[in-house]
Amino acid sequence: MTELNGTVSPSFEPVRDAVEGQLRSGAEVGLSLVVDVDGQPVVDLWGGHRDAARTQPWRRDTITNVWSITKTVTSLAALLLVDAGELDVYAPVARYWPEFAANGKQDVEVRHLLSHTSGVSGLDHPARLEDLYDVRAAAARMASQKPWWEPGTASGYHVLNYGHLMGELVHRLTGQSLRDFVHQHIVQPSGADFQIGLRGGDVERVADVIAPTVDFDPSTLDHDTTAYRTFTGPSFDAGAANTPAWRAADLGAANGHGNALAIAEILAPLTRAGASAHGQLLKPDTVGLIFNEQSNGADLVNGLHLRWGIGYALPDRRTLPWIPDGRIAFWGGWGGSMAIMDLDRRMTISYVMNNMGVDILGSQRAAAYTTAIYQALRDSNRS
């Protein structure tokens, strides 16, 4: 029998039941799920298996590639610089990175990078995945490009290059790589078990990602679209996440490694108006910037109807009806992982797994857990 470990508060037992049901059905292979309410861990679960053959148990310290959940940490790094007065989200990117002004991008602002509206959502052709592993050279190529659409007019999801763009700003302001900045200013203070990329000594506790059963073929897209240019600039598949080259890279868009507890420890201060267990991480006004809506409509790359704030998506019931309205910031990783920061309820939800679903954002499993969590919270508040 597949083992599920950890604890839940009594009113959140239905969440454990939901997870056990997904494990029994085989939909879930291995996972971790954490819910923090105002600093209290009301759900802290992990279990299943690290491998597709279900021979290696998912342990407390198991980590995995969390795909675009990495972007939520990269955005937090940017907010730290905003909070310190070193970065202005309404300033042109070129103030900090002069080369970025090339080819008509002189008016692109930092907020456009943080909201996926910059017009630069990938590399011009020719592009190989290996090109992204030299992060500063790739960023220089992006700085020289023409925007693929008018910046600020729509979102075009920055699938793999979000960390290159924000990471170059971090480097220009601090002299550090994004990976090192995150480690020093986010990971170490929080004690979270998270890293952009992967240290060699941690390979033995990593759960490989299990690719979705339906392959996405970007060659079927209209070649004149931003979606085609993005998904082929460069092309990649889920199996790349299990390779040494991917794991060694500094990809602030997609190769963060951690588990649900680590993600919750990092992001919970956003839920609590900037307060962390170790002091005030951000000013409340800095957290408030997240909710300055930057775009609202069909994304030019992934096709979803999305509302982007600064650094995080905002609730949109048309796309994810199981995330309620309100002061909520969130994003998910490819395959179904989710990070939800609900400021109204002072609740942080973090879900990480290895068996990837086929949906672009979220999954039936993520929906089932999130629905059970919100129902348990309502029931708890009534009792």
Side-chain angles (χ1 to χ4, degrees):
M1 178 172 175
T2 300
E3 186 175 4
L4 181 62
N5 305 285
T7 60
V8 297
S9 297
S11 57
F12 284 82
E13 284 290 345
V15 179
R16 184 198 295 271
D17 294 341
V19 175
E20 287 179 336
Q22 296 293 335
L23 284 167
R24 282 196 303 270
S25 74
E28 199 75 84
V29 176
L31 82 152
S32 53
L33 176 67
V34 168
V35 181
D36 175 288
V37 178
D38 206 12
Q40 299 301 312
V42 297
V43 175
D44 184 4
L45 296 172
W46 68 92
H49 295 91
R50 290 195 296 132
D51 60 325
R54 292 176 166 87
T55 62
Q56 303 172 37
W58 183 295
R59 303 188 187 280
R60 175 67 160 169
D61 68 344
T62 295
I63 57 176
T64 193
N65 189 93
V66 299
W67 294 109
S68 287
I69 295 292
T70 315
K71 294 180 176 73
T72 66
V73 181
T74 296
S75 296
L76 179 58
L79 290 179
L80 287 177
L81 293 172
V82 171
D83 202 69
E86 297 179 37
L87 183 66
D88 181 352
V89 297
Y90 299 105
V93 174
R95 175 186 294 180
Y96 313 101
W97 181 4
E99 298 88 341
F100 193 83
N103 270 314
K105 300 194 301 301
Q106 66 276 359
D107 295 326
V108 176
E109 298 178 10
V110 175
R111 64 190 174 99
H112 296 136
L113 301 187
L114 284 163
S115 61
H116 303 262
T117 63
S118 73
V120 183
S121 55
L123 284 172
D124 278 337
H125 292 176
R128 304 170 307 146
L129 183 59
E130 291 77 11
D131 294 337
L132 295 182
Y133 297 157
D134 187 342
V135 290
R136 297 211 64 208
R141 283 180 58 182
M142 295 167 200
S144 70
Q145 295 178 190
K146 292 181 180 178
W148 292 346
W149 70 94
E150 183 181 348
T153 60
S155 70
Y157 188 48
H158 295 14
V159 180
L160 289 183
N161 71 325
Y162 188 80
H164 293 77
L165 298 172
M166 297 312 306
E168 185 64 22
L169 284 179
V170 168
H171 180 79
R172 297 288 175 124
L173 287 167
T174 70
Q176 292 182 286
S177 67
L178 176 63
R179 170 164 46 200
D180 289 346
F181 182 87
V182 166
H183 181 73
Q184 179 178 342
H185 297 281
I186 296 175
V187 171
Q188 285 188 324
S190 67
D193 186 6
F194 178 86
Q195 51 197 292
I196 294 178
L198 185 69
R199 293 182 295 267
D202 291 323
V203 171
E204 293 303 314
R205 61 191 183 96
V206 171
D208 285 354
V209 302
I210 302 169
T213 55
V214 178
D215 290 329
F216 169 62
D217 181 3
S219 68
T220 61
L221 298 170
D222 183 338
H223 289 202
D224 293 328
T225 62
T226 298
Y228 175 79
R229 297 179 77 172
T230 302
F231 285 118
T232 59
S235 299
F236 67 102
D237 60 47
N242 298 328
T243 65
W246 175 279
R247 289 172 171 169
D250 184 359
L251 304 179
N255 83 333
H257 283 71
N259 51 37
L261 180 60
I263 299 302
E265 288 172 333
I266 288 171
L267 297 177
L270 294 177
T271 303
R272 301 195 293 268
S276 77
H278 309 284
Q280 195 72 22
L281 183 68
L282 297 171
K283 302 179 188 72
D285 286 349
T286 304
V287 176
L289 287 173
I290 292 170
F291 299 97
N292 186 336
E293 185 178 281
Q294 300 297 302
S295 67
N296 186 339
D299 187 273
L300 298 176
V301 172
N302 59 35
L304 299 174
H305 196 286
L306 296 172
R307 293 174 59 225
W308 279 106
I310 292 180
Y312 300 86
L314 308 178
D316 189 327
R317 303 297 289 265
R318 285 163 289 195
T319 298
L320 295 182
W322 38 271
I323 295 181
D325 297 325
R327 281 170 55 84
I328 295 175
F330 79 95
W331 194 239
W334 187 19
S337 60
M338 291 297 298
I340 301 171
M341 288 71 72
D342 188 327
L343 279 70
D344 291 336
R345 298 164 183 85
R346 296 177 70 85
M347 179 169 68
T348 306
I349 302 171
S350 176
Y351 163 55
V352 168
M353 78 296 141
N354 57 352
N355 190 32
M356 297 172 63
V358 299
D359 294 326
I360 296 173
L361 178 64
S363 67
Q364 291 182 347
R365 284 168 277 155
Y369 304 155
T370 303
T371 300
I373 289 163
Y374 273 100
Q375 185 60 53
L377 185 67
R378 286 190 294 269
D379 293 344
S380 175
N381 290 337
R382 282 197 293 263
S383 62

Tab-separated table of all heavy atoms in Angstrom, residues 36-41 271-272 345-348:
chain	number	residue	atom	x	y	z
A	36	ASP	N	-0.411	26.421	5.115
A	36	ASP	CA	-0.057	27.247	6.263
A	36	ASP	C	-1.146	28.306	6.430
A	36	ASP	O	-1.463	29.038	5.494
A	36	ASP	CB	1.303	27.922	5.994
A	36	ASP	CG	1.714	28.904	7.076
A	36	ASP	OD1	1.106	30.000	7.157
A	36	ASP	OD2	2.646	28.603	7.831
A	37	VAL	N	-1.729	28.365	7.626
A	37	VAL	CA	-2.729	29.387	7.925
A	37	VAL	C	-2.191	30.266	9.053
A	37	VAL	O	-2.054	29.810	10.195
A	37	VAL	CB	-4.083	28.766	8.327
A	37	VAL	CG1	-5.087	29.863	8.679
A	37	VAL	CG2	-4.629	27.903	7.184
A	38	ASP	N	-1.823	31.477	8.680
A	38	ASP	CA	-1.330	32.456	9.652
A	38	ASP	C	-0.176	31.907	10.479
A	38	ASP	O	-0.110	32.085	11.706
A	38	ASP	CB	-2.462	32.922	10.560
A	38	ASP	CG	-2.215	34.321	11.123
A	38	ASP	OD1	-1.296	34.995	10.634
A	38	ASP	OD2	-2.947	34.726	12.043
A	39	GLY	N	0.727	31.217	9.802
A	39	GLY	CA	1.908	30.704	10.474
A	39	GLY	C	1.760	29.316	11.061
A	39	GLY	O	2.744	28.751	11.562
A	40	GLN	N	0.573	28.731	10.995
A	40	GLN	CA	0.339	27.396	11.544
A	40	GLN	C	0.224	26.378	10.412
A	40	GLN	O	-0.600	26.544	9.514
A	40	GLN	CB	-0.937	27.379	12.394
A	40	GLN	CG	-0.901	28.310	13.573
A	40	GLN	CD	0.238	27.995	14.525
A	40	GLN	OE1	0.445	26.845	14.904
A	40	GLN	NE2	0.990	29.019	14.923
A	41	PRO	N	1.016	25.290	10.460
A	41	PRO	CA	0.936	24.263	9.413
A	41	PRO	C	-0.259	23.341	9.647
A	41	PRO	O	-0.163	22.356	10.387
A	41	PRO	CB	2.260	23.516	9.555
A	41	PRO	CG	2.627	23.672	11.007
A	41	PRO	CD	2.078	25.007	11.446
A	271	THR	N	1.774	36.096	2.022
A	271	THR	CA	0.428	35.944	2.563
A	271	THR	C	0.225	36.784	3.815
A	271	THR	O	-0.875	37.272	4.080
A	271	THR	CB	0.176	34.460	2.895
A	271	THR	OG1	0.384	33.682	1.705
A	271	THR	CG2	-1.235	34.231	3.385
A	272	ARG	N	1.298	36.967	4.581
A	272	ARG	CA	1.211	37.675	5.856
A	272	ARG	C	1.733	39.099	5.752
A	272	ARG	O	2.379	39.608	6.681
A	272	ARG	CB	1.961	36.885	6.923
A	272	ARG	CG	1.419	35.466	7.113
A	272	ARG	CD	1.908	34.823	8.399
A	272	ARG	NE	3.342	34.569	8.392
A	272	ARG	CZ	3.894	33.422	7.999
A	272	ARG	NH1	3.112	32.439	7.541
A	272	ARG	NH2	5.200	33.243	8.042
A	345	ARG	N	-7.265	35.394	3.584
A	345	ARG	CA	-7.409	34.313	4.567
A	345	ARG	C	-6.086	33.988	5.260
A	345	ARG	O	-6.045	33.071	6.064
A	345	ARG	CB	-7.973	33.073	3.869
A	345	ARG	CG	-9.368	33.317	3.266
A	345	ARG	CD	-9.732	32.245	2.261
A	345	ARG	NE	-11.017	32.478	1.629
A	345	ARG	CZ	-11.200	33.263	0.545
A	345	ARG	NH1	-10.167	33.891	-0.005
A	345	ARG	NH2	-12.401	33.419	0.034
A	346	ARG	N	-5.033	34.730	4.924
A	346	ARG	CA	-3.693	34.515	5.485
A	346	ARG	C	-3.285	33.046	5.369
A	346	ARG	O	-2.749	32.443	6.291
A	346	ARG	CB	-3.628	35.004	6.941
A	346	ARG	CG	-3.850	36.515	7.055
A	346	ARG	CD	-3.865	36.996	8.489
A	346	ARG	NE	-2.553	36.927	9.122
A	346	ARG	CZ	-1.612	37.869	9.035
A	346	ARG	NH1	-1.807	38.953	8.281
A	346	ARG	NH2	-0.466	37.742	9.678
A	347	MET	N	-3.548	32.510	4.170
A	347	MET	CA	-3.315	31.084	3.918
A	347	MET	C	-2.404	30.895	2.718
A	347	MET	O	-2.594	31.527	1.673
A	347	MET	CB	-4.643	30.364	3.673
A	347	MET	CG	-4.488	28.871	3.380
A	347	MET	SD	-6.066	27.970	3.401
A	347	MET	CE	-6.862	28.653	1.934
A	348	THR	N	-1.428	30.020	2.875
A	348	THR	CA	-0.516	29.646	1.794
A	348	THR	C	-0.696	28.165	1.496
A	348	THR	O	-0.654	27.332	2.403
A	348	THR	CB	0.945	29.903	2.201
A	348	THR	OG1	1.085	31.263	2.623
A	348	THR	CG2	1.888	29.635	1.040
